[in-house]
């Protein structure tokens, strides 16, 4: 989150923690249904369509350093089978947990973080902003981890025929006669030739020619 970012409490994925009152040990449970944001998933592979109902079960726990958020997100995801390209639908359940630290504020009220010994850990740390928590980045990471990287319509999907594109699961006996590629070009030429041309190629004399020869004799 940028240091000058401001969260909108009207955003359904922004959670207000003021009821916890910064009292260690205080806990709050929330159940919320929201519309899925855009680009929630693995782009071009599988994901939760924008606007799809997204069910959230949350537990907020106040600790000394901030608020520990534990939750589960449930939704219907859609994608495309990587083997046969048929549409795929699946029920998604993504668990997540994140610690949101209490920030310090300067005289202007701008949210800043205390410098840490480990700069990388400090950058990855999440902070509350005026008692608000933004769940969207956390939710995106959890959903991506819960989705299959290579979705399939069924575990034993046979994919598509490499020659004609037929779906092999629908026709298990589907096959093509093997053709020796060394003779394929000659076979194609033979299919386009007339009978007379084939006779000449094979050395046979047409019937009309044999009749003319008998008359001459």
């Amino acid at each position: 989150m940028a240091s000058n970012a401001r969260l909108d409490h009207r955003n359904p994925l922004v959670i207000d923690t003021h009821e916890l009152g910064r009292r260690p040990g205080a806990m709050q449970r929330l159940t919320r249904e929201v519309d899925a944001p855009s680009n929630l998933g693995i782009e071009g592979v599988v994901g939760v369509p924008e606007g799809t109902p997204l069910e959230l079960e949350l537990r907020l726990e106040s600790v000394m350093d901030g608020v520990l958020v534990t939750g589960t997100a449930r939704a219907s995801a859609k994608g495309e089978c990587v083997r046969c390209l048929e549409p795929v639908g699946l029920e998604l359940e993504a668990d997540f947990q994140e610690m949101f630290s209490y920030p310090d504020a300067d005289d202007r009220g701008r949210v800043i973080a205390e410098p840490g010994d480990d700069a990388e850990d400090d950058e990855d740390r999440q902070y509350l902003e005026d008692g608000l928590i933004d769940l969207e980045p956390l939710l995106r990471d959890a959903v991506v981890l819960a989705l299959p990287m290579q979705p399939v319509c069924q575990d034993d999907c046979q994919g598509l025929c490499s020659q004609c594109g037929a779906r092999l699961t629908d026709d298990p006996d589907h096959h093509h006669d093997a053709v020796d590629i060394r003779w394929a070009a000659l076979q194609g030429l033979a299919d386009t030739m007339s009978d007379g041309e084939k006779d000449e190629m094979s050395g046979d004399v047409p019937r009309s020619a044999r009749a003319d020869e008998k008359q001459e004799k």
Side-chain angles (χ1 to χ4, degrees), residues 5 10 18 32 39 58 88 112 124 136 156 173 194 200:
R10 295 169 297 182
H18 284 99
R32 182 173 294 190
N39 301 320
L58 305 171
V88 173
I112 59 175
D124 293 338
E136 186 168 337
D156 60 348
D173 297 327
S194 65
E200 292 178 3

Side-chain angles (χ1 to χ4, degrees), residues 179-196:
V179 177
D180 191 328
I181 60 174
R182 294 173 298 177
W183 299 102
L186 292 176
Q187 181 62 43
L189 177 61
D191 292 340
T192 60
M193 292 172 58
S194 65
D195 292 340

Side-chain angles (χ1 to χ4, degrees), residues 109-127:
R110 179 169 58 88
V111 177
I112 59 175
E114 290 187 14
D117 295 334
D118 191 324
E120 184 175 348
D121 289 345
D122 192 59
E123 289 180 0
D124 293 338
R125 187 177 301 173
Q126 301 294 325
Y127 293 92

